[in-house]
Amino acid sequence: VSVRSRGLTVRLDGEPSAPESLTGEVTLPVASLEAHALHRHKNRQPAELSQSDARQIAEKTQAKLREAFGTQIRVALSAEGQAGSLVVLARVHDALIRLDVSHQNAADGALKISASGDASLAALRVPKVKAPLGLMVVADGITLRISGQLRLT
């Protein structure tokens, strides 16, 4: 089972002409998480998830994450240049998630940014989430994707 959230808040600070200066924070309300799709037999094609199963999985996922993080998950971001590319390190408690970043300067002077990286719930010390009747398990892998524009203010 995969779980998603569309309730992220992202704050970035830095100089658009120097992307490696970016710092910031991602805040994710635990209550914004919802069960998204069912993947049978490790098949990456999602199958439909019943409303009842989706509700139960979301409730159990939120309960486990509240135990680990409280009502909000906070992810500290810091950028660094590595061998000509930009990498953002996302820190959640003691765990680091490496985000590979692409960026380009927009015609209006903004910096367009997109980043993605993978992590594990187990590495973040979040117990497995099983629902209902233990027949389904929320995937351990997390993909964090961020996109947006940075402008001088």
Side-chain angles (χ1 to χ4, degrees), residues 4-152:
R4 70 177 176 194
S5 171
R6 295 179 188 233
L8 295 175
T9 301
V10 179
R11 180 192 52 77
L12 293 174
D13 299 307
E15 176 63 42
S17 62
E20 66 280 355
S21 71
L22 294 176
T23 61
E25 181 178 78
V26 175
T27 304
L28 171 67
V30 170
S32 71
L33 292 164
E34 60 187 32
H36 171 60
L38 174 64
H39 303 275
R40 296 181 194 274
H41 307 294
K42 300 195 185 237
N43 180 354
R44 299 315 294 168
Q45 296 298 319
E48 190 155 329
L49 193 59
S50 75
Q51 286 185 338
S52 173
D53 288 347
R55 182 182 41 71
Q56 288 179 33
I57 292 166
E59 288 170 358
K60 287 187 176 199
T61 300
Q62 291 172 11
K64 296 283 186 185
L65 291 172
R66 269 193 299 277
E67 288 175 27
F69 301 108
T71 59
Q72 303 223 1
I73 301 170
R74 295 191 189 282
V75 182
L77 304 174
S78 61
E80 56 184 56
Q82 290 183 358
S85 65
L86 183 65
V87 172
V88 170
L89 299 177
R91 181 177 301 279
V92 181
H93 292 302
D94 297 333
L96 280 178
I97 304 168
R98 176 192 160 105
L99 302 172
D100 294 308
V101 179
S102 63
H103 58 88
Q104 63 181 355
N105 292 320
D108 62 359
L111 180 65
K112 292 183 179 182
I113 299 171
S114 61
S116 66
D118 297 314
S120 157
L121 285 174
L124 297 171
R125 297 187 302 268
V126 177
K128 279 190 178 183
V129 180
K130 297 179 182 181
L133 303 174
L135 299 175
M136 292 180 248
V137 177
V138 172
D140 178 62
I142 300 169
T143 300
L144 178 59
R145 291 188 186 111
I146 301 171
S147 63
Q149 292 189 6
L150 178 64
R151 297 181 189 280
L152 287 175

